[in-house]
Amino acid sequence: MNEKRLHLIVGISNMRMEFPDLYAGNEAIRYLFRANHVYILFCGLLNVVAGLYLSASESRWRRMLQRTGSWLLLASAPVFLAAFVVEPMQASPLRPLTVTAAFFALVSVGLHFLATAVRSRSDKNR
């Protein structure tokens, strides 16, 4: 399965998820669930965009940046889901899974940006 299709599947799957009321009246836990739900949506949208617009570079090292970025973005989805299940019930401001998943997504976007920005600059110099 190619990366574009995998991004689309992960992205659309994340956005179609519905979660029951799990907070049992505790507003702090409710807000943590809501925040994590937004992060899952954010991850789904990033994967949909990657699935629609990812175009593999001809340059080997740029393609490796893209592939690494894609795998980090794909890895962020299950980590965000795990964070949704585990972290809100602790009602703690410490959220290591959420931070890890957000970091994966950030680095992913950075790697894709770097691969594209360098390609654009080298194309202009030709």
Side-chain angles (χ1 to χ4, degrees), residues 7 12 14 25-26 33 36-37 44 46 51-52 55 63 69-70 76-77 79 83 87 90 97 104 107 110 124:
H7 279 298
I12 291 170
N14 275 6
N26 185 329
F33 272 116
N36 276 35
H37 192 256
L46 284 176
L52 292 174
S55 175
R63 195 170 48 251
S70 287
S76 71
V79 178
E87 291 178 340
Q90 298 168 359
L97 291 173
F104 284 176
V107 171
K124 288 178 185 176

Side-chain angles (χ1 to χ4, degrees), residues 18 41 72 78:
E18 294 181 24
L41 175 62
L72 280 172

Side-chain angles (χ1 to χ4, degrees), residues 6-24:
L6 195 54
H7 279 298
L8 282 172
I9 290 169
V10 169
I12 291 170
S13 297
N14 275 6
M15 293 191 319
R16 292 193 44 83
M17 297 182 94
E18 294 181 24
F19 301 101
D21 293 333
L22 299 172
Y23 54 87

Side-chain angles (χ1 to χ4, degrees), residues 17-71:
M17 297 182 94
E18 294 181 24
F19 301 101
D21 293 333
L22 299 172
Y23 54 87
N26 185 329
E27 290 300 310
I29 292 175
R30 178 174 170 247
Y31 288 123
L32 290 172
F33 272 116
R34 185 167 287 174
N36 276 35
H37 192 256
V38 169
Y39 294 138
I40 291 168
L41 175 62
F42 156 76
C43 180
L45 290 171
L46 284 176
N47 273 288
V48 167
V49 169
L52 292 174
Y53 294 104
L54 181 62
S55 175
S57 176
E58 293 178 18
S59 166
R60 185 172 190 265
W61 70 272
R62 280 185 237 139
R63 195 170 48 251
M64 289 305 295
L65 285 178
Q66 289 174 317
R67 181 160 287 148
T68 302
S70 287
W71 284 107

